[in-house]
Amino acid sequence: MASVGIQIRDLSVKYGEKPALREVSLDIPPNQIFGIIGPANSGKTTLLKCINRTIDFVTTASVSGSLLVADQDVRRMRNVYELRRRIGMVFPLPVGLPMSIYDNVAYGPRMAGVRQRGELDVLVERCLRQAALWDEVKDRLNLLGTKLSGGQQQRLTLARALSLEPEILCLDEFSIAIDPVTTMKIEEVLLELSREMSIVLVTNLVQQARRLAQNVAFFNSSRLVEVGETKQLFTKPREQLTFDYVTGNIG
C-alpha cells in the first residue's frame, strides 16, 4: 500500500463567526505517525474533519485555503465518497452500526465490491486482530456490534476504519474509552501500520504523542503554534507556550 502525505496551506475554518482554525500551513509526511496536541477547542478535531471532508456535514462551517492529499486538493474533489474510503476516521466515542460484529467490518468492503465470503472472512479477521479485538469476539461474530462494551465498540470502529485499507488513518482521541492495557496493544499495531500508511493522531495525552509520533504539531486558540520532530518539540521547543503545555503548566 502506497502511503501519501498531506499538504495544508493557509487553511482557515469558521463556525458561523467563530474561528476554529486560523491560516494553518502544515506538511504531514507519509509513512509515519504525526501527532497533534493542544488544549480543548484549539482546532485539532476541525483539522481532521477537513482532511476527509466530514466538515461538509457542519452546515455553519466555512472553509478557505487548500488541503492536498497526494497532490489533490480535497476541497475540489467531486467524489467525496472515494476520498473517505482512502481516509479512515476514528472519533473519540464509538459509532457502531446496528448490525453484527462481522458485518460492521465487512460493510465497507462489500460496498466497494468485495463479495467473496472467503475474502471477507480473511479481511474481517485481519482487521479485528489489528484492533486487538479478535480474541474477544471470534466466537460471537454474529453478535450485534452495539452489544459490545464501550471499549470494544471503539476497537470495532477502528477495525471498520481499517477494512478499506486506507492510505491515511485519522485518529481523534481513539483511546478515550479504552483501558490502558488495550491502548498499549493498539499503539503497537499503529506503529506497525505506520510503515504502510500515514497516521494522524489527535490526542490530549501528550505522553502518547511522545511515545508514538515522529513529528508533532502543537495547536492553541485555533492557531498552529509550533511543529517539529517529537524529541525537539518536547525537550527544546522554540515557543514558550509549547514548553508550558508539554510540561503541564497549561492545559
Side-chain angles (χ1 to χ4, degrees), residues 86-224:
R86 295 170 58 191
I87 303 174
M89 180 76 78
V90 177
F91 291 104
L93 297 176
V95 182
L97 300 177
M99 54 183 66
S100 71
I101 295 168
Y102 184 100
D103 288 338
N104 259 270
V105 183
Y107 179 81
R110 281 185 178 134
M111 293 298 100
V114 180
R115 294 287 186 266
Q116 293 292 331
R117 178 71 187 209
E119 186 176 353
L120 287 170
D121 287 349
V122 171
L123 186 149
V124 168
E125 179 175 346
R126 185 189 74 238
C127 293
L128 288 172
R129 285 188 182 279
Q130 289 175 327
L133 187 57
W134 173 254
D135 289 340
E136 298 171 36
V137 303
K138 61 184 178 182
D139 297 322
R140 48 184 180 142
L141 294 177
N142 291 326
L143 179 74
L144 273 175
T146 51
K147 296 292 186 182
L148 295 174
S149 69
Q152 289 173 325
Q153 288 189 54
Q154 182 67 325
R155 283 179 280 158
L156 182 59
T157 300
L158 175 58
R160 195 168 68 238
L162 293 171
S163 68
L164 288 171
E165 299 183 334
E167 299 166 359
I168 298 169
L169 180 62
C170 295
L171 302 173
D172 189 3
E173 301 291 349
F174 80 92
S175 60
I176 195 171
I178 303 175
D179 65 89
V181 173
T182 303
T183 295
M184 294 301 290
K185 291 179 181 178
I186 295 177
E187 288 183 0
E188 292 175 5
V189 170
L190 295 177
L191 289 169
E192 289 292 323
L193 289 173
S194 66
R195 297 177 181 179
E196 56 189 60
M197 68 176 66
S198 305
I199 298 177
V200 186
L201 171 68
V202 163
T203 179
N204 283 330
L205 305 174
V206 293
Q207 293 307 315
Q208 185 175 70
R210 191 170 190 172
R211 283 195 303 272
L212 297 180
Q214 286 93 330
N215 291 277
V216 175
F218 169 55
F219 282 73
N220 189 67
S221 299
S222 308
R223 298 183 186 277
L224 173 62

